Amino acid sequence: MVDTRFALYPPYGTDIPNMNDKNGNLETAAHPENLRRVAIDPVSRVEGHGKVTLLLDENDRVHQVRLHIVEFRGFEKFVQGRPYWEAPVMVQRLCGICPVSHHIAASKAMDMIVGATLTPTAEKVRRLMHYGQILQSHALHFFHLSSPDLLFGFDSDVARRNIAGIAAAYPEVAKRGVLLRKFGQEVIRITAGKRIHGTGSIPGGVNKNVSTEERDYLLKDIEQMIAWSRDALVLVRQLFEQNLDLYNNFGRFKTHTLNLVREDGALDLYHGGLRARDMDGNTLFDHYDSRHYWDVIFEDVKPWSYMKFPFLRSLGPERGWYRVGPLSRVTQCDFIPTPLANQARKAFMAFAGGSVAGATMGFHWARMIEMLHAAELIQELLHDPDLQGNDLVSKGQRQERGVGVIEAPRGTLIHHYKVDEHDQIVRCNLIVSTTHNNQAMNEAIRQVARQYLDGRKLTEGLLNHIEVAIRAFDPCLSCATHALGKMPLQVELLDVEGGVLSTLARSADGAFS
Amino acid sequence: MTDTFQLDGATVSFEPCQTVMQAALTAGRYIPHLCYHPEFKPHGSCKLCTIKVGGRTLSACTMPAEAGLQAESNIEELNALRRTLLQMLLVEGNHFCPSCEASGNCQLQATAYELQVMTPHFNQFFPDRPLDGSHPDILLDFNRCILCELCVRASCEMDGKNVFALAGRGITKHLIVNAESGMLRDTDIALEDKAMHVCPVGVILKKGVGFSVPIGARRYDQRPVGAQALDDAPRPAISGSCDACEGKS
């Protein structure tokens, strides 16, 4: 069971510092030269490495906490010069977990380049591919990666805090996680040609439809997937009921939000306009044409991180950071256009006086609502005869600039390309979901530092608290999300001169030294 | 009456003027190759079809079939050398199969699979080879060129246009476009030209159609390169097309 001692920490609303207060934000210490530096390096990676650094004074009070993503990917550079039709296949190699996101976002941008208006078959096959991915990615995150934290406790026995431990203690939960993910991967295989890194989506459409045999193959399991998704919602609700104070307060912070919504305000993960709301729920802009995202979003650069810090232009770089992803989408849409998921959303929004909708751990609940929505939509799409259509590709007036925006499993994903008269890409800008959440994740771990680190001796369980906070966002920090409980970590306590006072290291096999 | 020779212990019959390669493919025996094409003069440059005859190594595509010949091809010694040749080709250019539109239709990739090339082994050259996208319908991606000269031969012998050529020597040898500007837009190449359809890799590409064939329906998805090569044979030997024949006649 979850360690309930965390419930002793101040309940919701009593100890939430203003993140925009220079003295309270913990981003930059006033006098770092006099502070001890504690580094968690590597914490994890975005297909690479990330680290957390903390600066503490002699009383172990935290003065600075930073999540650094130190990896440089370079796709924006080496896609330059390549033909535009190659981009959807090339850039999806950014990721092995949700490559379909990049595949489709790039394809949407290239639809603009070739001046296409998608045929019904093309759009529905793409939507099917995308929701298959939402299903598999959310299942992967909840069952494989987060359930050990949630079911065993944040600082439970590290030896069993992994998917193998779940399989031993909760075999049915583990089995459902594996099979839900498998189903989503099968949807991707049928629409994209391969489970990972397929080629189904091309500029102006798709390269195949869904045959009746393929449709029937998926339909035979879809009812089970919907049932298991509903059961997952029951499980996550129970977890919140049992640990309400902990889940409500852990890494909690106030934030602005950004997400796509359909014209009628419904949740739509494939296409829509941008909606931004401030931390008090006031709408900053709504149904904004995402093809002109740069009018409302800009990227800030900070000297201590390779990852940019996007912000809402109207609020500026200091105050304009925001959060994307399932929690923002589910709470900020007006409704979900499938019945079971919409019902689940209402229950979520009403739970504990609506407070969970603002909790960092609420990500898990929102993610399961989206998984149910994906399963329902897949069923709906599979019954649509347009999937068997043969009108797959369209073209129109050639354009120079293309922008593709979708809601990926982890949040809003923006692809932006400029293509020259020789059909070669000359400029590319990608703002990926994890980048949008950069500052938000920093705020979450700063809050965890305030809540759990001040004056405490470093332990493995403490390290995992930082992981749990980062993991709630389901970031593309590969180690944090993929090697759960086995993330190689090294924490060093240094004196002012940089000398090592003590070290705690965890190797990839989970051993401590 | 046809004569015969021995290939890996099997009897292969042949017609006059056939090379070892032509006779072997006609008889249903695959010898790996890249620069050989049944519709063109043998070239003998890629050396992938190297066979052993009496302890000597020879190119099967240029070696005239002779009665009583004792040839070895599918032996580990030669396949190891072929793997090395493929590895050198793969590192010498920029062959990024994961994002290449020729993937699944590429003879180099398919042959590497056939011969079980598991790693590049050598350090990648990562050459800087800008694309030529100047033509409205055709793109040239020089990164993938393996210097087989099939496009050179097709453009010269069949299209009569002489659009392509090789320039430079040794390690600097490279494919060029025969135009003063060096750009494809300044040639008279057309989509229906034979040169558009012979590239064994992914250099000469029709624009805007990449990845339009789904995975599973590409050339080498269903049948490996060895089976495909046998499907393409037998083809009649082009009369007077090889030096050996011309010497005899």
Side-chain angles (χ1 to χ4, degrees):
Chain A
M1 290 304 299
V2 172
D3 185 343
T4 53
R5 71 188 168 90
F6 301 123
L8 298 173
Y9 285 88
Y12 166 65
T14 59
D15 188 25
I16 309 295
N18 180 355
M19 300 305 168
N20 296 320
D21 177 353
K22 273 288 184 185
N23 297 322
N25 68 11
L26 294 189
E27 180 179 318
T28 302
H31 299 287
E33 65 279 4
N34 296 324
L35 301 173
R36 287 177 298 154
R37 177 173 178 271
V38 177
I40 303 174
D41 182 13
V43 171
S44 57
R45 52 194 174 94
V46 179
E47 313 295 339
H49 283 73
K51 67 178 178 181
V52 171
T53 58
L54 308 109
L55 293 185
L56 310 170
D57 65 18
E58 63 274 18
N59 297 318
D60 293 322
R61 295 306 308 270
V62 180
H63 286 253
Q64 179 176 301
V65 184
R66 289 173 173 176
L67 168 63
H68 312 252
I69 310 300
V70 296
E71 182 73 3
F72 176 70
R73 298 289 283 154
F75 273 77
E76 289 155 316
K77 182 64 183 172
F78 57 70
V79 77
Q80 289 177 5
R82 302 306 307 170
Y84 68 79
W85 56 88
E86 201 175 281
V89 176
M90 175 187 266
V91 295
Q92 66 174 336
R93 295 275 166 174
L94 267 163
C95 185
I97 301 299
C98 67
V100 171
S101 304
H102 296 288
H103 189 48
I104 289 180
S107 297
K108 285 183 72 176
M110 296 313 158
D111 293 344
M112 280 180 70
I113 296 291
V114 301
T117 302
L118 290 194
T119 66
T121 298
E123 177 168 336
K124 286 171 186 174
V125 170
R126 278 197 197 169
R127 280 182 178 270
L128 183 61
M129 191 191 307
H130 187 45
Y131 283 100
Q133 173 195 235
I134 295 285
L135 183 92
Q136 70 85 12
S137 178
H138 283 0
L140 171 77
H141 182 262
F142 183 75
F143 290 97
H144 295 63
L145 307 176
S146 290
S147 69
D149 291 330
L150 306 179
L151 295 174
F152 294 141
F154 299 174
D155 56 359
S156 59
D157 178 10
V158 65
R160 67 170 191 157
R161 202 176 58 224
N162 50 54
I163 188 62
I166 290 291
Y170 304 95
E172 188 60 22
V173 170
K175 179 185 136 190
R176 290 178 181 188
V178 169
L179 293 179
L180 274 162
R181 178 154 195 266
K182 181 187 175 189
F183 181 82
Q185 294 285 65
E186 284 296 279
V187 173
I188 296 169
R189 179 182 64 79
I190 283 168
T191 49
K194 281 165 66 185
R195 292 177 185 85
I196 304 172
H197 300 142
T199 63
S201 184
I202 58 177
V206 292
N207 67 14
K208 73 183 287 288
N209 63 10
V210 176
S211 70
T212 51
E213 293 76 21
E214 291 167 331
R215 176 200 63 193
D216 294 342
Y217 167 72
L218 294 174
L219 274 175
K220 71 181 171 54
D221 290 328
I222 190 63
E223 288 286 357
Q224 183 66 78
M225 298 304 133
I226 292 172
W228 284 348
S229 299
R230 296 182 76 180
D231 289 347
L233 273 165
V234 172
L235 175 61
V236 78
R237 183 187 178 103
Q238 284 172 351
L239 288 165
F240 270 83
E241 286 170 345
Q242 291 165 8
N243 310 282
L244 185 58
D245 286 343
L246 169 65
Y247 279 29
N248 239 354
N249 292 304
F250 184 82
R252 188 186 184 102
F253 60 97
K254 294 187 79 175
T255 177
H256 315 311
T257 58
L258 179 80
N259 56 296
L260 288 181
V261 288
R262 205 167 70 181
E263 271 184 19
D264 57 0
L267 178 74
D268 191 332
L269 306 182
Y270 177 79
H271 191 68
L274 287 169
R275 169 177 285 177
R277 289 198 170 132
D278 69 15
M279 58 179 67
D280 299 316
N282 303 309
T283 300
L284 298 169
F285 51 81
D286 204 0
H287 302 296
Y288 197 86
D289 186 347
S290 60
R291 292 171 299 180
H292 297 279
Y293 71 91
W294 57 85
D295 289 335
V296 289
I297 299 168
F298 201 70
E299 292 176 286
D300 193 20
V301 176
K302 300 196 179 187
W304 52 270
S305 177
Y306 286 119
M307 189 150 69
K308 291 179 180 176
F309 289 78
F311 62 90
L312 302 168
R313 275 184 187 266
S314 61
L315 300 179
E318 289 294 325
R319 297 176 52 241
W321 58 270
Y322 51 89
R323 187 193 61 207
V324 300
L327 185 56
S328 298
R329 294 191 293 242
V330 168
T331 58
Q332 302 306 316
C333 72
D334 298 335
F335 66 99
I336 297 179
T338 53
L340 296 176
N342 196 44
Q343 200 179 336
R345 176 183 180 271
K346 286 178 182 169
F348 171 65
M349 298 294 280
F351 187 80
S355 59
V356 177
T360 295
M361 295 301 281
F363 259 114
H364 295 289
W365 194 332
R367 201 168 281 119
M368 289 302 92
I369 293 171
E370 285 193 346
M371 187 169 80
L372 175 60
H373 173 55
E376 286 184 284
L377 259 185
I378 288 168
Q379 185 181 42
E380 194 177 293
L381 283 164
L382 287 173
H383 285 296
D384 192 325
D386 279 345
L387 285 186
Q388 281 79 51
N390 290 310
D391 198 2
L392 303 180
V393 183
S394 62
K395 284 193 176 171
Q397 183 68 38
R398 177 79 155 70
Q399 304 292 320
E400 185 183 50
R401 186 192 299 274
V403 178
V405 183
I406 63 161
E407 284 291 342
R410 289 150 189 82
T412 314
L413 171 64
I414 299 172
H415 278 223
H416 182 183
Y417 302 89
K418 190 176 176 190
V419 178
D420 69 8
E421 70 277 16
H422 294 159
D423 298 316
Q424 292 170 260
I425 295 166
V426 292
R427 184 176 178 277
C428 168
N429 188 33
L430 311 176
I431 309 180
V432 302
S433 318
T434 301
T435 308
H436 291 290
N437 277 334
N438 192 2
Q439 186 69 20
M441 287 189 292
N442 270 283
E443 295 301 336
I445 63 168
R446 281 164 199 162
Q447 189 62 2
V448 168
R450 289 186 193 96
Q451 291 174 317
Y452 303 105
L453 269 66
D454 262 8
R456 287 165 181 266
K457 180 174 163 48
L458 297 174
T459 64
E460 188 282 331
L462 184 62
L463 295 183
N464 193 50
H465 280 66
I466 292 175
E467 287 185 55
V468 170
I470 296 170
R471 197 172 291 129
F473 289 81
D474 186 14
C476 212
L477 300 169
S478 302
C479 276
T481 51
H482 306 167
L484 184 123
K486 294 187 174 180
M487 185 192 308
L489 289 170
Q490 182 166 332
V491 177
E492 291 180 341
L493 198 57
L494 309 177
D495 62 20
V496 177
E497 284 74 41
V500 178
L501 295 177
S502 69
T503 301
L504 181 67
R506 183 172 66 197
S507 63
D509 62 5
F512 283 87
S513 57
Chain B
M1 181 179 170
T2 57
D3 286 323
T4 63
F5 65 89
Q6 297 289 305
L7 178 63
D8 292 330
T11 301
V12 174
S13 58
F14 65 95
E15 302 290 336
C17 293
Q18 276 192 317
T19 61
V20 170
M21 174 72 83
Q22 288 167 332
L25 291 177
T26 303
R29 303 194 68 83
Y30 171 65
I31 299 174
H33 57 268
L34 287 172
C35 72
Y36 166 78
H37 189 289
E39 296 177 59
F40 295 96
K41 284 182 183 178
H43 198 251
S45 62
C46 78
K47 299 300 176 191
L48 216 62
C49 69
T50 297
I51 54 173
K52 276 185 93 169
V53 177
R56 295 175 61 206
T57 53
L58 302 161
S59 296
C61 71
T62 54
M63 173 72 186
E66 289 177 14
L69 205 71
Q70 301 281 333
E72 293 176 297
S73 173
N74 189 21
I75 57 174
E76 181 50 30
E77 177 193 351
L78 288 176
N79 285 335
L81 290 172
R82 289 172 180 141
R83 276 193 287 276
T84 302
L85 285 171
L86 287 166
Q87 287 168 326
M88 288 194 286
L89 285 173
L90 288 166
V91 302
E92 186 262 348
N94 293 314
H95 297 278
F96 305 134
C97 299
S99 60
C100 177
E101 64 187 273
S103 189
N105 295 311
C106 172
Q107 198 175 336
L108 176 65
Q109 180 194 49
T111 308
Y113 279 134
E114 179 89 7
L115 289 168
Q116 300 183 323
V117 173
M118 306 303 286
T119 69
H121 182 75
F122 302 105
N123 290 334
Q124 297 277 357
F125 280 31
F126 293 127
D128 183 16
R129 298 181 188 169
L131 279 58
D132 181 349
S134 62
H135 193 282
D137 303 318
I138 301 163
L139 178 90
L140 296 181
D141 188 341
F142 297 103
N143 291 289
R144 301 159 183 159
C145 184
I146 57 171
L147 307 176
C148 69
E149 284 195 272
L150 276 170
C151 60
V152 177
R153 288 181 271 167
S155 187
C156 177
E157 296 169 21
M158 288 200 179
D159 303 331
K161 294 183 177 178
N162 211 20
V163 169
F164 299 104
L166 294 188
R169 297 174 67 85
I171 196 65
T172 65
K173 182 174 273 193
H174 60 285
L175 183 68
I176 60 165
V177 173
N178 270 331
E180 198 166 335
S181 64
M183 307 298 283
L184 198 63
R185 66 171 175 237
D186 296 323
T187 70
D188 54 355
I189 191 169
L191 285 173
E192 58 273 15
D193 286 356
K194 186 69 179 175
M196 284 297 303
H197 306 284
V198 293
C199 181
V201 285
V203 177
I204 305 171
L205 303 164
K206 183 182 178 186
K207 278 186 171 181
V209 296
F211 307 103
S212 57
V213 177
I215 293 170
R218 302 170 305 185
R219 180 173 169 80
Y220 298 113
D221 284 338
Q222 298 295 328
R223 289 163 62 72
V225 66
Q228 296 276 358
L230 298 182
D231 287 347
D232 291 343
R235 301 280 178 108
I238 297 170
S239 178
S241 64
C242 74
D243 294 341
C245 295
E246 285 166 359
K248 285 179 182 175
S249 60

